[in-house]
Every structure is written in C-alpha cells, then in structure tokens.
C-alpha cells in the first residue's frame, strides 16, 4: 500500500508539472497579447506598445519568461494580474466562494433529483414514468445552458416578475444578516435552477443504466430465488452497487468547479471564477490564466489521487 | 401508480405555490426599497466589465471611462456630440505663433479631501505622464516642451510645434487632472494606493469597487457646479447583452448604452423606457494595404469601392440604425466633412467597366481579380458585413475571401504585423479632424495600410497651425478630396447605437450637448 501511495503521488506531481508547461506554452503562443487591452482599442502607437512590453517583460524570449514565472510560482506566489494589477491569488480567492456556492448547491440538487429519477425509471422500466423521465432528460440534454438561462430569466423575471434578473445581490439595497442571506438565495434560484436542469440528464442516465445493469446480475436472480423481498434486495444489494459510478461522476465534476459554469455565470452576471477565466482569456491576462489553470490541474490531480486511494481501499486487488 | 402520480403533481403544485409566495414577498420588498432610505435617489448604469484601474491616466480603459468622468475633471471635456466644452478651464487662448496655449482655470474647485485644485496639479499631472512612456498620452505629450504656471489658476503649455488639435485631445482619454498632494509620494501611479481609493475633484466620490459586481459612487456635496441631483451612482457589471436588456426592462438597471440592434424595436415599444440614438464619428471602414502589389492599382480599389452596397449593409445588418457613410471624414462633424468628394455610389456595371477599362481580363469563372482576402474580427456585425461585401464583389468579378479572427488575434495580425490585404475596422475619427492625419498620414501609428501622399500630409499639417475653423475646414475638405481620388480606405456605415434609460430619469449624458460631459451624471435627476 505504501509503495502504491508513493507511486500515485509521484504520477500526480508529474501530471501537474506537464500540465503547467503545456498551459504556459499554449497561453503564450496564442495570437494576441495583454498589451492590446492595456493600450485600448483606439491606439496603435508602437512606442507605447514597446514601453508596455518592456514593463511586463513580454519582449523577453519565452524560455526566460517561463523560468521567471516558475521561480515565483515555486514560492507559492501566483503573480500579479497584468490587466488589473492585483495579486492573482486574491482575485481567485475573492471569487471562489460565489462559484462554490453555485456549483455545490446545483451539484447536490441535480445529483439527488437525477439519481432519484434514474432509479425510479429503472425500476419502472418501460412504463409511462420511464418514458416521461427519459423524454424529459433528452430534451434537457439537448438545450444549450446559456439559452435555457435566458429563457428562465424571461419567464420568471420579465413575464412573471417574481425573481431577480442578474447578479448575486440586489444592487439597490445593501442588506446585512438574514436579509442578505435571503437576498442571495433569491438571486441563486435561477442560476441554480438552470444548472440543475442541465445536469439532471447526466445523473439520470448513469443511475438508470447502472441500476438496470445491477438488477440483471446473476446474484440478484439468486437472491430473488431465495424469496427475499424486493425492497430488501433493492436497498441492500442493488442500490449500494449501483450508486458507485454516480459518486465518481460527482467527484470528478467537482474537480472542474472553477471553470465549469462560466457560461451560466456570464448569463446571470454571477461574480464567480468562471467569468474571471473567460475575461482573462479575452484580455490575454497571462498570470491570471496560468494561475487558474495551475489551481485546476492541482485540484484535478488531488481528486484523482483521492479517488484512486479510496478505490484501493475498497478493492484490495487494485495495486499497480 | 395513480397515487404516486398524484403525489408528484401535488409536490410540483406545492413548489409552484412556494415560488409565487416568494415572488409576492419580493414585490413588496422592491416597493419598500424604493421608498426607504429617505427617498435616496440612486441611478444604476450597466457596465460591461471591470475597470482596470482607478488611476484614470495610466491606461485608455473603456470600462473605467464612464466612471472616472464622474470622479475627476479635465481641462476640457467632450460632450454628447463629441465636441470640446470647458471643464476645469473656463476659457483658453492660442498665441499668435501657435506655440503657447494658455488655459484659465476655475478658482472654486476642491479635491474630495477639501484641498484646492490649482495649476500646480495640472503641471504635475502632465509632467508625470510625459515622463512615463507606458502611460497612454505620453507619446502625444512629447509635443509639449514645457508647462508653466504663472499663477494658481493659469496654465501655459509651451509647444514644440503648433498643434491646435492638442486641445481636443486633452478632453478625451487619460488626461484627467490628479491631486499632486496625494500622488506625489514616490510611488508610480499604477501601484499607488490612491489608484484603489481615488480622490478626484468630480461630481461624485468613490465608495467601493466589488470586482465582477459593481462600482459605487456617492454625490460630492461640495461640487463646484452644485451638488449632483442623484445621491448614489452605481455601475453594475453585466457581461451579457441579453441579460442587460432584461435587467433594464425589469427596472433593475436604469441606463443601458448601445442597445443590441435586435432589441431596439422591443424597447422602443416599452413606455417605461426612453430610447435615444447616439451617433459617433467612428465609421466602420475597409482599409487597403497600400504595400500590396495587387492593391496598389487605384482602379481596382475604385472598382471595389463601387461594388459595395452600403444601403443593403445598413438595412440587413444594422436594422437601418447605422446609416451609410460616403464621406471621407464622418458626416456627423458637419464643419469639417466634405459631402462633395465622396466614395462612389453602388453600381456593379460601373465596377465591371472600371476593371475592363483598366485592362483586367475575365478568367473562365468570370473573375477579373482573384485571391483577395479581408481580415475582420468577430462580433459587432463585422463578419456578416464582410460576407455581404464579398457577395456583391463577386458579382463585379472580384473574388474576396472573408477571414474572421478573435479580436486580439486580429489585432496581432493586422495592427502589429501589418499582415493583411484588406481589413475592416471601426475607431474614433475625433475628437478633432486631425484624426484624419493620425489615421492616414505618412508613417503615423494609426495608418495601418501605410498610405502615403505628400500633398495630403501637407494639408493636414497646415490645418493644425490655424485657429480659424473656416480656414481649417477648407484644408480638411481638400485633404478629403485627395482621399476620394486615391481611395486608401472605404467608409461603409457611420457607427450609431441607441442608448436606453428608465423614462423616469431626465438630463442624461445624451441630453448634454454643449452642457455636460459624454458620460457625466451631475445633472441627472428623477422627473417630478
């Protein structure tokens, strides 16, 4: 087990390093640079461009830029955003709670609803409910998230006028305490609702197919032959086995938390990390982009290591 | 089975009832908010993205521009029609030889911390910008030899050479007067704490910036033009256009600039919303790369210009909001535009005739010229416009391929590497007609097509030594006649967009021609 753990940690570390190098190269080799955003659209002044390139070291060869960034990154410093002149770590930390709130809430809700629907549909396979749920899931699965978000805004904010259109808090009011919490909840309903609707099909499909698969296993047939009650067979043997892939998917989706919902954040003007990434891409804010991708690759590597270790504990046969 | 279905329906009903219940509460809450706070007048303006800095002079930042205009003052400013009006300077005069520009400042202006605004602050601001090449106006300020302050309220700019267009430049980007007593502490402006908690002299004071959410300002009680009518000015950040439109309809924001063309009819029909067209001297245009061997032939350029259907572009792509532009200097600026020597009218037959006469021969597929490309960036109707142009050019026997790029990639290819045949762009042709020279003068940074004509240069450079508007206009009209002859670029449509606001507000920036600034909210008020 110890050797296995060591090997997993080493590959995890290697993954992060390789991802970091690739990210750095791709981001820097993409056409365009942050200087255009700094200069403004109305200026093509080469003197100004040269001065700004000099200031941010963008006129140096790429390998020198790489090592100077690596040096600061090794000290745990993600650098300063070229565009906003603020520490990248601060900008990410400030936006992370809003995104976590959105992603966790919608993740848990869609996990529960999607899985419940999947189980019901699997148990009633071929019935009206199954057809209804499957159809519902297909329709949702084929909807673009930003379009669905806008439609919900038009229905619930514009036509029915019962929910706020954008943002995380009411710009006109400055609530504190409980009123603030309620205000945020009210602003959360539409973005969370959109995400839940978009994510339900994923959990629905996995839950339904794995329940069906487990139900058709020989040992279930054997259990039925013993005369055990259907309820007990399901709760004790089918459900526990069938839920594993769902948990894995849930874990993996959390690893993509930082950038996973950027479109929804944009449509609802939700101040999260996804929008931070999109803006940084548009403005070619190299330090912010590299910082965010570094955090992402670290979190994915950590989640994968944890998943591997948990699997190894659950199944002692797994030793590579 | 039936029981479960019943249960499901009941649960859904319960959720619906709950949601409606919430809504009821919300309505009451909103109603309460408007009345509470002692009738506080708040205006919420939509902002598309975060400002980069609250030092208004380091960068030309379009997201900060509407905010800093309400926090700071300049010597002069631009109004809704993009013409120069007084700001800190009540009046100014240019010396006989054009080498000295003297500004007389107001003597009743205070910084937000109570200190007086004097000519020393003006000198400090421009000396500092001039000395730092990363600041936006630095290159332009090399034109200034020295700045003198004979007394607290007089500033004299001694110029290296006469240039009357410099005055208008002082009313545009990155020329805001900054407080010397706060900034002069040895730290560069961009890293200075004052760039995060700005102290200005403008009608509003800075409260806070929540990145990705909003920027909040409050009225400056001691503003020299009188306290603003509003108590609070909030810039709310909404990146998505469609969401911003819905937020305006729902009363969650009060001002939305540049309404998307697709939403114009819908908002026009809404009695709670006022729509006002805002025109800019920023024509959408095609630039020819004059170093390209094929395009060096003026006959080809003329044939291309003759085969462009501006009316169709205006109608199909911009719903008629952006009008066809034929003049070589924007027709919006009436005193300087030349309406006689213009770009040719759309005529496919004429275009073919020009090519035939110039000796071009049709190939088997009917093309006289093949292999031309046009580089455009995404959005703003640009790719669609280019496609319409390619279609009419094909009828005239000219093959044009449209290449669409993401904006930064486009800029890299076109503006930095100058690697293009034809390109399409917009961009401000103000605040002074000298922009003609900045965009087309020999060797100028903004002259992406590398056009060069000695006579044109001479006319433009003579025009900035003359103070008299009629004389200047004459020279600019001659310069435009040269452009009409040589066609180094083709104007397409004049940029315009609707600015929308909640109808209960009056005196918005758009109403301020000759009175207040481009994005200034000092006089904005709730209608009685």
């Amino acid at each position: 087990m110890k050797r296995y753990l060591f090997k997993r940690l080493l590959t995890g570390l290697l993954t992060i390093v390789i991802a970091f190098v690739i990210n750095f190269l791709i981001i820097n080799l993409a056409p365009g640079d942050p200087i255009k955003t700094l200069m403004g659209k109305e200026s093509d002044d080469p003197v100004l461009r040269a001065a700004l390139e000099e200031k941010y070291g963008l006129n140096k060869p790429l390998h020198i830029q790489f090592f100077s960034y690596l040096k600061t990154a090794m000290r745990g410093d993600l650098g300063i955003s070229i565009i906003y002149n603020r520490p990248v770590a601060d900008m990410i930390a400030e936006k992370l709670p809003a995104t976590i709130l959105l992603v966790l809430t919608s993740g848990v809700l869609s996990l529960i609803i999607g899985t419940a629907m999947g189980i019901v549909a699997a148990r009633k396979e071929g019935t009206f409910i199954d057809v209804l749920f499957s159809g519902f899931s297909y329709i949702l699965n084929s909807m673009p998230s930003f379009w669905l978000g806008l439609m919900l805004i038009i229905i619930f904010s514009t036509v029915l006028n019962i929910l706020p259109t954008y943002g995380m808090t009411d710009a006109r009011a400055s609530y504190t305490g409980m009123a603030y919490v309620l205000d945020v909840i009210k602003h959360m309903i539409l973005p969370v609702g959109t995400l839940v609707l978009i994510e339900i099909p994923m959990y629905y499909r996995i839950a339904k197919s794995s329940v069906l698969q487990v139900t058709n296993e020989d040992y279930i047939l054997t259990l039925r032959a013993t005369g055990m009650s259907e309820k007990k067979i399901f709760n004790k043997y089918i459900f526990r086995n069938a839920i594993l892939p769902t948990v894995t998917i849930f874990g993996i989706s959390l690893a993509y938390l930082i950038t996973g919902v950027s479109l929804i954040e944009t449509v609802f003007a939700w101040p999260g990390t996804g929008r931070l990434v999109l803006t940084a891409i548009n403005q070619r804010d190299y330090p912010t982009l590299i910082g965010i991708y570094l955090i992402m690759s670290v979190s994915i590597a950590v989640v994968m290591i944890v998943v591997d270790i948990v699997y190894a504990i659950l199944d002692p046969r797994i030793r590579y | 089975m039936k029981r479960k279905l019943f249960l499901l329906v009941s649960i859904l009903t319960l959720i619906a009832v709950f949601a409606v219940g919430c809504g009821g509460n919300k309505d009451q809450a909103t109603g309460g908010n408007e009345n509470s706070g002692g009738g506080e007048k708040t205006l919420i303006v939509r902002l598309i993205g975060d400002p980069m800095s609250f030092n208004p002079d380091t960068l030309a930042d379009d997201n900060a521009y509407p905010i800093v205009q309400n926090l700071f003052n300049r010597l002069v400013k631009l109004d809704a029609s993009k013409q120069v009006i007084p700001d800190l300077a009540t009046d100014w005069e240019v010396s006989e030889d054009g080498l000295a520009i003297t500004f007389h400042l107001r003597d009743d202006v205070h910084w937000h911390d109570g200190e007086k605004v004097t000519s020393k602050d003006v000198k400090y601001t421009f000396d500092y910008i001039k000395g730092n090449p990363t600041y936006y106006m630095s290159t332009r300020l090399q034109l200034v030899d020295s700045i003198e302050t004979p007394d607290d309220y007089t500033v004299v700019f001694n110029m290296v050479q006469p240039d009357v267009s410099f005055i208008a430049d002082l009313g545009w980007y990155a020329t805001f007067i900054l407080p010397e007593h706060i900034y002069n502490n040895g730290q560069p402006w961009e890293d200075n704490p004052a760039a995060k908690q700005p102290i200005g002299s403008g009608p509003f004071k800075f409260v806070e910036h929540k990145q990705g959410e909003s920027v909040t300002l409050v009225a400056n009680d001691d503003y020299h033009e009188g306290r603003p009518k509003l108590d609070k000015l909030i810039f709310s950040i909404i990146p998505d256009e469609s969401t911003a439109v819905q937020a305006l309809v729902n009363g969650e924001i009060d001002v939305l600039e540049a309404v998307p063309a697709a939403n114009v009819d819908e908002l026009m029909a809404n009695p709670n919303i006022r729509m006002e067209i805002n025109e800019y001297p920023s024509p959408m245009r095609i630039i020819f790369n004059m170093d390209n061997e094929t395009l060096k032939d003026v006959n080809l350029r003329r044939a291309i210009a003759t085969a462009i259907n501006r009316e169709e572009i205006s109608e199909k792509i911009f719903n008629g909001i952006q009008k066809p532009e034929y003049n070589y200097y924007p027709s919006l600026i009436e005193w300087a535009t030349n309406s006689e020597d213009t770009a040719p009218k759309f005529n496919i037959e004429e275009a073919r005739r020009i090519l035939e006469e110039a000796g071009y021969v049709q190939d088997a597929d009917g093309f006289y010229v093949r292999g031309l490309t046009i580089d455009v960036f995404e959005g703003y109707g640009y790719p669609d416009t280019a496609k319409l142009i390619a279609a009419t050019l094909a009828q005239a026997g000219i093959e044009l391929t449209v290449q669409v790029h993401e904006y930064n990639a486009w800029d890299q290819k076109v503006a930095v590497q100058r690697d293009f045949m034809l390109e399409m762009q917009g961009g401000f042709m103000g605040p002074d007609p000298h922009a003609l020279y900045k965009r087309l003068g020999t060797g100028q940074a903004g002259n992406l097509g590398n056009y060069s004509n000695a006579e044109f240069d001479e006319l433009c450079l003579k025009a900035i030594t003359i103070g008299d508007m009629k004389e200047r206009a004459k020279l600019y009209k001659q310069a435009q006649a040269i452009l009409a002859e040589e066609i180094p670029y083709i104007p397409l449509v004049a940029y315009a967009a609707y600015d929308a606001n909640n109808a209960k507000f009056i005196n918005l920036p758009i109403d301020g021609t000759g009175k207040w600034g481009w994005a200034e909210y000092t006089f904005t008020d709730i209608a009685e």
Side-chain angles (χ1 to χ4, degrees):
Chain A
M1 187 69 190
K2 240 185 200 160
R3 221 180 119 239
Y4 172 73
L5 201 69
F6 177 72
K7 264 164 85 179
R8 291 302 301 130
L9 283 175
L10 205 68
T11 44
L13 204 66
L14 200 66
T15 314
I16 293 171
V17 172
I18 293 172
F20 173 72
V21 175
I22 293 175
N23 281 335
F24 187 91
L25 286 179
I26 288 179
I27 288 166
N28 276 280
L29 292 178
D33 58 26
I35 304 297
K36 185 61 203 170
T37 304
L38 294 178
M39 288 171 70
K41 286 194 170 175
E42 298 291 348
S43 173
D44 297 300
D45 181 3
V47 180
L48 181 63
R49 171 169 276 278
L52 285 166
E53 280 176 356
E54 171 73 32
K55 180 177 173 185
Y56 293 104
L58 295 174
N59 52 356
K60 296 201 187 91
L62 202 56
H63 64 274
I64 299 202
Q65 289 183 44
F66 177 76
F67 285 113
S68 80
Y69 183 82
L70 198 62
K71 228 167 78 187
T72 48
M74 291 297 246
R75 279 187 263 125
D77 183 355
L78 293 178
I80 309 274
S81 158
I82 293 178
I83 302 294
Y84 296 110
N85 198 25
R86 296 183 56 199
V88 170
D90 287 5
M91 280 166 50
I92 298 173
E94 188 182 279
K95 297 272 160 289
L96 210 48
T99 295
I100 290 177
L101 183 66
L102 198 62
V103 173
L104 270 190
T105 316
S106 60
V108 170
L109 282 176
S110 50
L111 171 78
I112 294 170
I113 300 172
T115 309
M117 281 170 62
I119 292 171
V120 171
R123 299 202 71 190
K124 310 265 179 197
E125 201 199 355
T127 64
F128 171 70
I129 291 231
D130 179 22
V131 174
L132 184 77
F133 282 1
S134 294
F136 185 60
S137 154
Y138 288 142
I139 292 172
L140 289 180
N141 205 18
S142 52
M143 274 185 196
S145 59
F146 57 90
W147 179 83
L148 181 62
L150 190 62
M151 288 305 118
L152 292 183
I153 288 178
I154 290 175
I155 295 170
F156 289 98
S157 306
T158 308
V159 177
L160 298 177
N161 195 18
I162 53 173
L163 288 170
T165 315
Y166 76 98
M168 193 168 157
T169 51
D170 188 344
R172 278 185 216 282
S174 37
Y175 295 117
T176 48
M178 202 52 208
Y180 173 79
V181 174
L182 285 176
D183 191 34
V184 172
I185 290 176
K186 222 155 63 187
H187 281 80
M188 268 173 72
I189 295 176
L190 285 185
V192 166
T194 312
L195 282 170
V196 168
L197 289 175
I198 291 296
E199 286 168 10
I200 279 177
M202 185 171 71
Y203 292 109
Y204 171 78
R205 269 200 318 266
I206 287 169
K208 187 182 166 188
S209 64
S210 58
V211 167
L212 279 179
Q213 198 194 340
V214 176
T215 312
N216 292 328
E217 294 282 345
D218 290 343
Y219 66 87
I220 300 295
L221 195 66
T222 315
L223 287 175
R224 282 197 178 130
T226 64
M228 192 187 278
S229 78
E230 275 296 317
K231 206 171 160 189
K232 196 171 174 192
I233 295 176
F234 179 79
N235 289 341
K236 212 168 168 190
Y237 298 97
I238 299 180
F239 181 72
R240 288 200 179 177
N241 281 314
I243 204 71
L244 271 176
T246 308
V247 173
T248 313
I249 292 285
F250 183 69
I252 292 172
S253 77
L254 287 189
Y256 292 94
L257 179 149
I258 293 184
T259 54
V261 295
S262 31
L263 285 181
I264 295 298
E265 287 182 0
T266 303
V267 169
F268 289 97
W270 189 265
T273 47
R275 253 172 73 199
L276 192 68
V277 177
L278 277 189
T279 314
I281 291 172
N282 283 333
Q283 300 176 329
R284 302 288 194 278
D285 193 357
Y286 297 151
T288 306
L289 277 178
I290 296 167
I292 285 171
Y293 285 127
L294 188 62
I295 290 181
M296 255 181 82
S297 52
V298 170
S299 56
I300 290 172
V302 168
V303 169
M304 294 306 172
I305 291 171
V306 170
V307 167
D308 282 354
I309 292 170
V310 170
Y311 268 49
I313 294 169
L314 288 178
D315 186 347
R317 284 171 304 178
I318 297 177
R319 293 286 184 276
Y320 302 109
Chain B
M1 176 70 216
K2 257 189 185 157
R3 232 182 61 206
K4 285 209 174 132
L5 203 67
F6 175 73
L7 202 71
L8 193 80
V9 172
S10 327
I11 290 171
L12 285 176
T13 319
L14 212 68
I15 292 172
V17 169
F18 178 71
V20 173
C22 276
N25 289 340
K26 189 240 171 191
D27 273 349
Q28 284 161 15
T30 321
N33 287 341
E34 274 169 11
N35 300 327
S36 70
E40 195 176 67
K41 289 180 191 169
T42 304
L43 181 84
I44 304 187
V45 180
R46 182 267 185 137
L47 195 66
I48 195 163
D50 282 291
M52 293 190 269
S53 163
F54 286 102
N55 180 307
D57 292 349
T58 51
L59 307 164
D61 179 357
D62 283 325
N63 290 335
Y65 197 56
I67 301 167
V68 295
Q69 288 196 67
N70 292 289
L71 285 173
F72 295 92
N73 293 104
R74 286 167 283 200
L75 289 175
V76 295
K77 59 191 172 190
L78 302 180
D79 66 7
S81 69
K82 289 85 198 172
Q83 297 298 297
V84 173
I85 58 170
D87 194 358
L88 285 182
T90 49
D91 58 331
W92 51 90
E93 67 248 356
V94 182
S95 68
E96 200 70 11
D97 58 4
L99 287 172
I101 304 174
T102 308
F103 291 93
H104 302 285
L105 308 186
R106 295 180 68 119
D107 59 2
D108 57 349
V109 186
H110 293 85
W111 295 108
H112 293 160
D113 63 0
E115 299 277 327
K116 276 222 140 182
V117 178
T118 68
S119 56
K120 304 247 172 358
D121 295 308
V122 178
K123 180 177 162 59
Y124 167 74
T125 301
F126 290 110
D127 281 347
Y128 197 90
I129 296 173
K130 191 185 167 192
N132 194 323
T134 65
Y135 295 170
Y136 185 76
M137 277 296 279
S138 181
T139 311
R140 184 81 175 125
L141 278 170
Q142 303 309 315
L143 189 73
V144 176
D145 180 55
S146 65
I147 298 170
E148 285 170 45
T149 54
D151 63 57
D152 271 0
Y153 304 105
T154 309
V155 188
V156 183
F157 286 74
N158 293 311
M159 314 294 283
V160 176
Q161 64 198 53
D163 188 343
V164 289
S165 75
F166 178 70
I167 298 166
D169 286 339
L170 291 180
W172 197 22
Y173 284 127
T175 52
F176 296 87
I177 307 305
L178 297 179
E180 179 177 13
H181 68 283
I182 288 181
Y183 266 104
N184 199 358
N185 56 6
Q187 279 175 292
W189 280 358
E190 62 273 29
D191 299 327
N192 208 302
K196 306 253 186 250
Q197 282 291 326
I199 298 284
S201 54
F204 291 87
K205 294 182 184 182
F206 181 81
V207 179
E208 64 170 341
H209 172 211
K210 289 193 253 176
Q211 194 164 14
E213 289 186 67
S214 62
V215 178
T216 307
L217 314 180
V218 289
N220 172 9
D221 291 334
D222 306 315
Y223 190 55
H224 57 268
E225 287 190 72
R227 185 192 188 277
K229 306 291 183 286
L230 297 169
D231 299 297
K232 224 186 217 176
L233 179 58
I234 300 175
F235 293 87
S236 208
I237 298 169
I238 307 178
D240 187 75
E241 301 287 346
S242 311
T243 308
V245 169
Q246 296 308 321
L248 178 74
V249 170
N250 300 336
E252 289 175 55
I253 59 170
D254 302 310
V255 178
L256 170 63
E257 287 185 355
V259 172
N263 297 98
V264 166
D265 292 341
E266 170 201 343
L267 294 186
M268 285 276 203
N270 188 328
N272 298 322
I273 289 165
R274 174 186 163 214
M275 297 277 279
E276 206 65 51
I277 192 112
N278 194 355
E279 296 173 288
Y280 296 78
S282 307
M284 179 183 199
R285 49 199 185 260
I286 289 176
I287 312 285
F288 291 110
N289 188 341
M290 302 296 283
D291 292 337
N292 183 288
E293 285 307 320
T294 317
L295 294 168
K296 269 187 179 156
D297 182 8
V298 66
N299 294 309
L300 175 58
R301 298 201 299 274
R302 184 174 304 282
I304 293 174
T306 312
I308 291 173
N309 190 345
R310 291 173 183 75
E311 270 73 19
E312 190 190 17
I313 294 170
S314 173
E315 279 310 315
K316 284 194 179 156
I317 304 198
F318 301 107
N319 286 351
I321 295 165
Q322 303 197 23
K323 301 265 183 301
E325 176 72 86
Y326 289 91
N327 297 12
Y328 276 91
Y329 187 71
S331 41
L332 180 67
I333 312 295
E334 283 168 20
W335 70 273
T337 193
N338 181 339
S339 304
E340 276 151 31
D341 305 293
T342 62
K345 295 263 179 301
F346 173 61
N347 186 338
I348 296 276
E349 287 315 309
E350 173 71 9
R352 296 180 80 98
R353 199 186 56 79
I354 293 171
L355 290 172
E356 293 272 357
E357 276 180 15
Y360 288 88
V361 187
Q362 264 180 315
D363 68 7
D365 300 322
F367 285 110
Y368 294 97
V369 181
R370 303 197 78 139
L372 294 182
T373 57
I374 184 162
D375 291 295
V376 297
F377 48 80
E378 298 169 322
Y380 310 98
Y382 275 59
D384 290 339
T385 304
K387 280 172 204 157
L388 276 188
I389 290 173
T392 50
L393 286 188
Q395 289 171 30
I398 301 164
E399 186 191 48
L400 180 69
T401 312
V402 180
Q403 298 178 337
V404 183
H405 311 268
E406 183 265 353
Y407 181 75
N408 287 285
W410 174 88
D411 183 74
Q412 179 84 14
K413 185 171 191 279
V414 170
V416 181
Q417 294 165 352
R418 307 277 166 106
D419 171 23
F420 67 93
M421 297 174 90
L422 287 79
E423 59 108 342
M424 196 183 282
Q425 64 167 67
F428 198 49
M429 293 281 265
D432 184 278
H434 188 51
L436 266 180
Y437 182 72
K438 291 181 186 167
R439 302 264 186 199
L440 292 152
T442 305
Q444 291 298 298
N447 182 357
L448 302 185
N450 206 15
Y451 173 65
S452 177
N453 179 306
E455 203 188 334
F456 174 84
D457 291 350
E458 201 186 298
L459 287 166
C460 289
L461 291 177
K462 195 174 165 205
I464 52 170
T465 63
I466 300 169
D468 183 61
M469 272 190 38
K470 272 198 184 124
E471 284 300 311
R472 288 192 76 197
K474 230 184 250 170
L475 294 170
Y476 283 123
K477 284 179 184 177
Q478 283 176 38
Q480 289 168 70
I482 295 175
L483 298 180
E485 194 63 41
E486 301 213 306
I487 318 185
Y489 91 94
I490 309 172
L492 300 172
V493 291
Y495 180 76
Y498 277 95
D499 285 355
N501 68 271
N502 188 320
K504 75 178 181 193
F505 288 96
I506 53 167
N507 293 345
L508 282 117
I510 187 81
D511 305 311
T513 298
K515 292 179 281 186
W516 55 81
W518 183 321
E520 189 187 333
Y521 292 96
T522 314
F523 304 98
T524 307
D525 199 355
I526 294 177
E528 292 306 325

